[in-house]
Amino acid sequence: MATKLRIVHCFRSPVGGIFRHVRDLADAQLAAGHAVGIVCDSTTGGEFEEQLFNDMGGKLALGIHRTPMQRHVGLGDIASAWRTYKIIKELQPDVLHGHGAKGGAYVRLFGSLLRVSRSRVARLYSPHGGSLHYDERTATGKTFFAIERLMGRFTDHLLFVSNYERRAYRKKVGEPRGLNGLVYNGLRASEFEPVLANPDAADLLYIGMMRDLKGPDIFIDAIARAEKKLGRELRAVMVGAGDGLPNYREQVKRLGLGDRIQFLDPMPARKAFALGHLVVVPSRAEAMPYIVLETLAAGKAMIATAVGGIPEIFGPDSPALVEPDPVELGKKMVVALADLAVYHRSMPAGADLKARFGADVMAGDIEKAYFAALAR
């Protein structure tokens, strides 16, 4: 078996945590001498993501290939799937690693087709939450989980990013049929350096996609409630892009917060950290969000909802955890902002975080999974 691999990462949307995960993996795999390529959607992402692609482009031996991919299943999937298959076939991968529901479906389908044509390729899938966020009692959930059960037959290795995600898979899909493992997301050593707030930093900071799943509406409502409790105005910065942005701007205006909440385009997380004193992650659902790891590694105080794998980072009894509810979040904002220095001392220790969530640990464990899948 070759020790240097041809690795292709396939995913739909080049934004948020999945894109961050793939970039970190690609960097580590390049350093290990592997040839790496990326196949993803061409219709999502903005200037920030374009710059990230430009920074990566010259380093990837197998290149960056972008083609339209629909978010939801539809007739357009047929043409999209055919284009993606042709790209992947030309790259002649040893390892196909799919991220998210769409990437996972494509990798297992196309990897199986390549095997029919006598190509030996390992098919790995990292859900990153994805379709596992659906309720298994709904028609949509039942459909997705039936597809997942079918796809399990064509999966050489499942890689979960949190114990929560693994439990959700077992509950909603069933026991994994083949190899599976838990590999936490990891950060580079440079990300464990502290980031100080600017002199004019806002009280609160939100960084993430502007969609309801991530809870921007909860964040805004909680600010209005916290102001009443504290008896003073608060300033906040919201960094991100997404389809829900017009709705959140309107919500801010309706609540009379328009002059105190600033919306900014996506930017590197460590640049954004200087814009606020207290970072808030108000998500309704998550798997293992990078933004929580990045915030804590940068030495910032934060509040996060107790969803998905987030309690695995903090510990289940951490005072930083709250339910994804504006009333509860507003109360937690009041407590934290009343004495931020005291609140900050309740954050997890940096040394412990580095030992559990280092990029070198993540990349090493995933490489072992690749070779295990190829050896089957």
Side-chain angles (χ1 to χ4, degrees), residues 30-326:
L30 289 171
H34 302 301
V36 182
I38 287 175
V39 181
C40 67
D41 180 40
S42 60
T43 65
T44 49
E47 292 182 8
F48 176 61
E49 287 76 23
E50 286 296 332
Q51 185 57 54
L52 292 174
F53 276 122
N54 290 338
D55 294 343
M56 296 176 68
K59 299 187 293 184
L60 301 186
L62 303 186
I64 296 171
H65 307 269
R66 302 189 67 186
T67 184
M69 296 181 186
Q70 288 182 269
R71 181 183 184 89
H72 299 291
V73 176
L75 292 176
D77 266 344
I78 299 173
S80 174
W82 178 244
R83 287 191 303 268
T84 307
Y85 172 65
K86 289 195 295 183
I87 292 168
I88 288 175
K89 186 177 181 181
E90 289 177 3
L91 294 176
Q92 299 180 314
D94 299 307
V95 173
L96 274 175
H97 191 162
H99 304 266
K102 180 72 70 168
Y106 278 178
V107 155
R108 291 176 287 180
L109 174 62
F110 303 149
S112 300
L113 289 174
L114 291 175
R115 285 186 166 202
V116 170
S117 60
R118 300 184 184 275
S119 294
R120 181 73 178 105
V121 57
R123 303 156 298 180
L124 290 94
Y125 172 40
S126 295
H128 296 284
S131 60
L132 295 178
H133 289 317
Y134 286 106
D135 187 332
E136 69 271 28
R137 296 166 295 184
T138 65
T140 301
K142 290 176 181 177
T143 300
F144 272 111
F145 301 136
I147 293 171
E148 277 294 344
R149 280 188 284 274
L150 175 63
M151 286 291 181
R153 300 174 181 270
F154 311 107
T155 307
D156 296 309
H157 209 307
L158 269 169
L159 289 171
F160 299 107
V161 296
S162 67
N163 269 315
Y164 164 82
E165 186 177 68
R166 182 156 56 183
R167 290 194 301 270
Y169 186 94
R170 285 172 170 159
K171 177 186 176 186
K172 298 178 179 182
V173 180
E175 191 67 29
R177 297 177 66 91
L179 298 173
N180 67 93
L182 167 63
V183 181
Y184 284 130
N185 291 335
L187 303 180
R188 298 180 294 274
S190 60
E191 294 178 276
F192 288 89
E193 295 295 324
V195 176
L196 300 179
N198 293 337
D200 61 344
D203 299 289
L204 300 157
L205 174 65
Y206 169 90
I207 311 170
M209 289 184 284
M210 296 296 179
R211 53 185 296 221
D212 284 355
L213 186 73
K214 300 298 182 179
D217 57 317
I218 296 175
F219 178 72
I220 294 165
D221 278 342
I223 291 172
R225 293 174 180 276
E227 284 193 338
K228 292 177 181 177
K229 291 283 187 180
L230 287 168
R232 66 178 178 90
E233 294 183 346
L234 297 173
R235 289 193 305 117
V237 174
M238 300 184 70
V239 177
D243 295 340
L245 186 55
N247 295 333
Y248 306 135
R249 289 185 183 275
E250 176 58 33
Q251 181 184 1
V252 165
K253 183 178 178 181
R254 185 177 70 252
L255 292 173
L257 302 171
D259 60 338
R260 303 192 293 285
I261 297 183
Q262 181 182 17
F263 290 91
L264 297 176
D265 292 335
M267 67 180 73
R270 288 179 66 83
K271 180 179 179 181
F273 290 149
L275 304 178
H277 292 287
L278 178 64
V279 180
V280 179
V281 175
S283 300
R284 290 180 167 88
E286 289 286 359
M288 178 54 70
Y290 267 101
I291 191 60
V292 174
L293 296 175
E294 291 172 295
T295 301
L296 294 173
K300 303 290 292 186
M302 75 179 307
I303 300 169
T305 47
V307 299
I310 293 177
E312 295 172 46
I313 303 172
F314 286 94
D317 300 321
S318 171
L321 298 176
V322 67
E323 292 303 309
D325 172 81

